[in-house]
Amino acid sequence: VDAGAALAAGIPIVLLAVVLDRTTAAAGRRIGAGEAASGPVSPAVGWAVAAVATLAVALGTRFASALEWPATWTYGIAEPVNRAVDWMTDHLYSGVPLIGGTADWAGHFTTWVLDPVRDGLQWLPWWGLLLIVAALAWLIGTWRTALTATLAMAAIGVLGVWNPSLDTLSQVLAAVAVTLVLGFATGIAAARSNRVEAALRPVLDVFQTMPQFVYLIPVVALFGVGRAPAVAAAVVYALPAVVRITTQGLRGVDAGALESARSLGATSSQQIRQVQLPLARSSLLLAVNQGVVLVLAVVIIGGLVGGGALGYDVVFGLAQGDLAVGLVAGAAIVCLGLMLDRVTQPTERRTTTKGA
């Protein structure tokens, strides 16, 4: 539980991801615009110059015996980060005037959201839940979709982990709801403003590429141990994908449709609600689907911080070397993911097929 050491290892992962992302994105833009062929320097000459420069720098540093990064140019962040985490725990966890502490928020979220959803799912008879899953999948998909979703849900009962799976499902549904509310609102803001999108890009890079175990430590420091911090970790992990897909979908809306709406006197909110959101429906459905899948991927992480249910079974099986317990829980998670995928995404598949 050393947040500083974890962050010191996580930041280089983020920086490597940023380098690769920016490099490949720039190359893609050049190729797409045809600049690589029409620029003042041909691609072959550019690659040759880059290779010669790289070789010259490599030979120069070797002859100068400067292969290692200078020790005086480094800065250890572990101690300041750990002090910051300790400060958050001491000042934000509880006793904050008027708004209460983060522990109070976690308790309220568990009492008012997680518990009712879990109890409601577990109150339903097994056959009733199967009928609900089949109906939802059939309404937005095909009979094959409904059959696949129903069989996946029924397999959970066959595996003997029905109640833990519904507990996990309640956490996933709550995390997805929070992710979609924040993701859609942030995506709309980014789609409407280039400055907002540019400011969010490095933040989303960090959230999307930082290993989950790194930000799990401050989440636990803020929210304690339980299902609420597991949901918070899932939201942080899934939010970047939802924001980016939403932004891309809204920006891809036909400019002519927006211009027509503006010419008819539509306000900004009317353009969003009546033009952009309906035309970007397929992208929004994809954002929902990706949010569900990514949230479900953090179930195991939730088991490490008191999330219980299937995540705990997987962690327990790994820790005790009990393959049966871990494998059954893992198979149930796969079945949940298959069911949720069929329920949230088949509309796009069906629409695409008909359009073709």
Side-chain angles (χ1 to χ4, degrees), residues 8 21 30 35 61 89 103-104 111-112 120 123 125 136 161 239 255 270 283 291 303 332 338 342:
D21 173 71
R30 286 178 60 86
E35 294 176 3
T61 53
T89 304
D104 298 328
T111 303
W112 296 343
W123 175 81
L136 289 174
V161 287
L239 188 61
Q270 289 174 331
S283 296
L338 183 61
R342 295 301 184 270

Side-chain angles (χ1 to χ4, degrees), residues 299-311:
V299 167
I300 299 177
I301 304 298
L304 296 173
V305 295
L310 296 178

Side-chain angles (χ1 to χ4, degrees), residues 195-333:
R195 291 183 178 179
V196 173
E197 184 183 20
L200 284 175
R201 191 174 183 184
V203 178
L204 298 179
D205 286 338
V206 171
F207 283 175
Q208 197 164 22
T209 56
M210 183 74 71
Q212 301 98 307
F213 296 98
V214 175
Y215 56 71
L216 193 63
I217 301 172
V219 165
V220 172
L222 287 174
F223 299 105
V225 175
R227 286 175 291 158
V231 170
V235 170
V236 173
Y237 183 67
L239 188 61
V242 174
V243 172
R244 282 180 161 147
I245 295 173
T246 302
T247 302
Q248 184 178 10
L250 293 177
R251 285 183 175 271
V253 170
D254 184 16
L258 286 175
E259 183 61 32
S260 299
R262 282 192 289 266
S263 65
L264 293 174
T267 62
S268 296
S269 62
Q270 289 174 331
Q271 293 175 38
I272 295 172
R273 289 184 290 105
Q274 300 177 13
V275 180
Q276 287 184 290
L277 291 179
L279 293 180
R281 181 172 177 269
S282 60
S283 296
L284 298 181
L285 286 173
L286 179 60
V288 172
N289 178 262
Q290 291 300 299
V292 168
V293 173
L294 293 174
V295 164
L296 193 60
V298 193
V299 167
I300 299 177
I301 304 298
L304 296 173
V305 295
L310 296 178
Y312 173 79
D313 290 343
V314 173
V315 173
F316 178 82
L318 290 174
Q320 300 297 323
D322 192 338
L323 180 61
V325 174
L327 188 61
V328 168
I333 292 174

